[in-house]
Amino acid sequence: MSLKNAILVLLEGKPGTGYDLAQRFRGGIGQFWSASHQQIYQELKALGQDGLVEFELQEQASRPDRKHYRITAEGRAALKAWLEGPWKPERISSAILLRLYAANLADSAPVLEELDRNLAQFRDKLAEYLQQESSHLARSGRSSLRQALVYVSLRFGIRNLQSWIMLLAEVRALLTQGRVPERPALDELGPAGGAGRP
Amino acid sequence: MSLKNAILVLLEGKPGTGYDLAQRFRGGIGQFWSASHQQIYQELKALGQDGLVEFELQEQASRPDRKHYRITAEGRAALKAWLEGPWKPERISSAILLRLYAANLADSAPVLEELDRNLAQFRDKLAEYLQQESSHLARSGRSSLRQALVYVSLRFGIRNLQSWIMLLAEVRALLTQGRVPERPALDELGPAGGAGRP
DNA sequence: GGATCATATGCAACATATTGCATATCAGTC
DNA sequence: GACTGATATGCAATATGTTGCATATGATCC
């Protein structure tokens, strides 16, 4: 139901090919929505049949032809209706969280291996986001609603990553030293942080 | 692939009926995994055919008969193997986040309505979790690994809720006053908080 | 007395997502 | 000269999840 809308949001921002969209799903919005290229192409086809998007075929000499999609007026209306519609409660499912929760049932060696790989990845991503945040702060005097929304979403993403890193670090400590650290080890967190302990 | 494992984790903790599991998915573990009863019954059937769980039929006079499931040795082995196996990168998808991100494309009145409903719900849930946290802290001297994992998961859930509440409050301020609040309005957050600004 | 909720399980149809495969070319690396 | 990665699109089979319906009873609310 909402991959459809995710695509419409992206195309509203800027027209592009299915391939472009797949790229964009890996950046920014990837934080809260992503999809494989197979899914995207299928969905674009369906959206086209419903008249919510349209495309222009751009023939290319060497590379395969590209279908350059853009949102239609009808598409914009459908998106607006969805945005203004009721929110359904969301079903969370995270296999990683499940594994951590049940980590006592496994040998810790293999779990720690994966945990460390993920910890490193999360830290890299956090560094990236923090950089984006500071460059946003640098260029912002008075920002539009659009920009402000992008900014608060980014901050949300940062907090989430920090929270994940903290969890992984805590579980790591539990599995290696058998204790919960008093002050979780998170020195490299930078600004835009968490809830602020009273 | 992992509803299967989520069920095994639950049954490992304590045997029960499909109905029981559905209940439990709404509490604690609901934070990171949940499923409808239809899915659960189907999965239990499949797990039974694979020999990972078994059940005992308890006939009841008035109520429908219950199938009391428990995990088998084979089930435990399969779960352990999964827990020690590789972690796949997770695909995030949140329709709510998507809506907030694109909130500039909609009339704010209907968005604010849903936003406020959700804000209230999140705050209620947070209060609940905070209570669970303090009761956990009260009874804990030296805790087992199992208990510690439950505790860090709970804290993770608390941080996430706080982060959501912060986001919703920020978007709310943007839509009503057109600005990002300097210090997000979040006085009722209590302990177990965020990342701690340096 | 009727409505709703909790208990308890399940089928069937449909929607959505994942996995594997297929095609085609250019650029750069080993 | 072979392999990998970026560009660009797509089909088909399978797996997973959602929605609607069906059954049956006791308890509680209004």
Side-chain angles (χ1 to χ4, degrees):
Chain A
M1 194 70 242
S2 351
L3 169 56
K4 208 177 102 169
N5 297 292
I7 289 177
L8 290 177
V9 168
L10 285 183
L11 289 180
E12 220 287 332
K14 198 177 159 198
T17 67
Y19 191 84
D20 290 336
L21 294 178
Q23 300 289 96
R24 289 206 250 161
F25 271 125
R26 261 177 259 157
I29 355 84
Q31 259 182 72
F32 38 88
W33 208 281
S34 65
S36 63
H37 75 267
Q38 292 92 333
Q39 241 186 306
I40 292 167
Y41 286 122
Q42 243 178 290
E43 204 58 53
L44 280 171
K45 195 174 150 188
L47 284 167
Q49 278 163 5
D50 294 347
L52 306 186
V53 301
E54 57 190 9
F55 68 88
E56 196 182 334
L57 215 150
Q58 300 181 333
E59 291 181 52
Q60 292 188 303
S62 59
R63 305 303 172 85
D65 298 349
R66 356 160 73 212
K67 292 183 180 173
H68 197 78
Y69 282 92
R70 57 170 172 262
I71 192 170
T72 62
E74 229 188 307
R76 248 178 228 108
L79 176 57
K80 186 160 182 282
W82 179 75
L83 288 171
E84 293 168 0
W87 299 3
K88 274 189 281 193
E90 293 181 353
R91 182 152 294 175
I92 304 161
S93 57
S94 166
I96 295 185
L97 236 26
L98 183 61
R99 269 186 250 242
L100 295 177
Y101 180 76
N104 60 309
L105 302 172
D107 290 339
S108 43
V111 174
L112 280 169
E113 213 176 293
E114 289 291 318
L115 194 154
D116 285 338
R117 273 203 322 110
N118 276 265
L119 198 47
Q121 277 175 22
F122 283 148
R123 287 201 167 117
D124 288 351
K125 208 168 200 175
L126 176 60
E128 207 184 291
Y129 282 12
L130 285 172
Q131 200 154 21
Q132 279 181 43
E133 190 202 17
S134 61
S135 73
H136 190 104
L137 281 171
R139 74 165 164 277
S140 92
R142 186 173 284 274
S143 62
S144 66
L145 176 55
R146 181 86 280 272
Q147 285 175 316
L149 287 169
V150 171
Y151 179 63
V152 296
S153 299
L154 178 60
R155 278 169 45 99
F156 179 79
I158 288 171
R159 288 194 304 270
N160 278 177
L161 273 175
Q162 288 172 331
S163 187
W164 267 101
I165 291 169
M166 197 178 300
L167 175 67
L168 289 177
E170 285 178 347
V171 173
R172 188 172 207 296
L174 281 171
L175 295 181
T176 54
Q177 292 133 49
R179 56 175 187 82
V180 203
E182 279 304 300
R183 274 255 158 201
L186 269 186
D187 303 325
E188 63 282 69
L189 285 188
R197 228 169 245 274
Chain B
M1 193 71 243
S2 352
L3 169 56
K4 208 176 101 168
N5 296 293
I7 289 177
L8 290 177
V9 168
L10 285 183
L11 289 179
E12 220 287 331
K14 197 179 160 197
T17 67
Y19 190 84
D20 289 337
L21 295 178
Q23 301 289 95
R24 289 206 251 161
F25 271 124
R26 260 177 259 157
I29 355 83
Q31 257 183 73
F32 39 87
W33 209 280
S34 65
S36 63
H37 74 266
Q38 291 94 333
Q39 239 186 306
I40 293 167
Y41 287 122
Q42 244 177 291
E43 203 61 52
L44 280 171
K45 196 173 149 189
L47 284 167
Q49 278 162 5
D50 294 347
L52 306 185
V53 301
E54 58 191 7
F55 68 89
E56 196 182 334
L57 215 151
Q58 299 181 332
E59 290 181 52
Q60 291 186 302
S62 59
R63 305 302 172 87
D65 299 349
R66 356 159 73 213
K67 293 182 179 171
H68 198 79
Y69 282 92
R70 58 171 171 261
I71 192 170
T72 63
E74 228 188 307
R76 248 178 229 107
L79 176 57
K80 185 160 182 285
W82 179 76
L83 288 171
E84 292 168 2
W87 300 1
K88 274 189 284 191
E90 293 181 353
R91 181 150 296 172
I92 304 161
S93 55
S94 166
I96 295 184
L97 236 27
L98 184 61
R99 269 187 250 243
L100 294 177
Y101 181 75
N104 61 309
L105 301 173
D107 290 339
S108 43
V111 174
L112 280 169
E113 213 175 293
E114 288 292 319
L115 194 154
D116 284 340
R117 273 201 324 109
N118 276 265
L119 198 46
Q121 276 174 23
F122 283 148
R123 288 198 166 120
D124 287 351
K125 210 169 199 175
L126 177 59
E128 207 184 293
Y129 282 12
L130 285 172
Q131 199 154 24
Q132 279 181 42
E133 190 201 18
S134 60
S135 73
H136 191 103
L137 282 171
R139 73 164 166 276
S140 91
R142 188 173 282 274
S143 62
S144 66
L145 176 55
R146 181 86 280 273
Q147 285 173 317
L149 287 169
V150 171
Y151 179 63
V152 296
S153 299
L154 178 60
R155 279 169 45 98
F156 179 78
I158 288 171
R159 289 195 303 271
N160 278 179
L161 273 175
Q162 289 172 332
S163 187
W164 267 101
I165 291 169
M166 199 179 298
L167 175 66
L168 289 176
E170 284 177 347
V171 172
R172 187 170 208 298
L174 281 171
L175 295 181
T176 53
Q177 292 134 50
R179 56 177 187 80
V180 203
E182 279 304 300
R183 272 256 157 201
L186 267 187
D187 303 326
E188 63 282 68
L189 284 188
R197 231 171 243 273

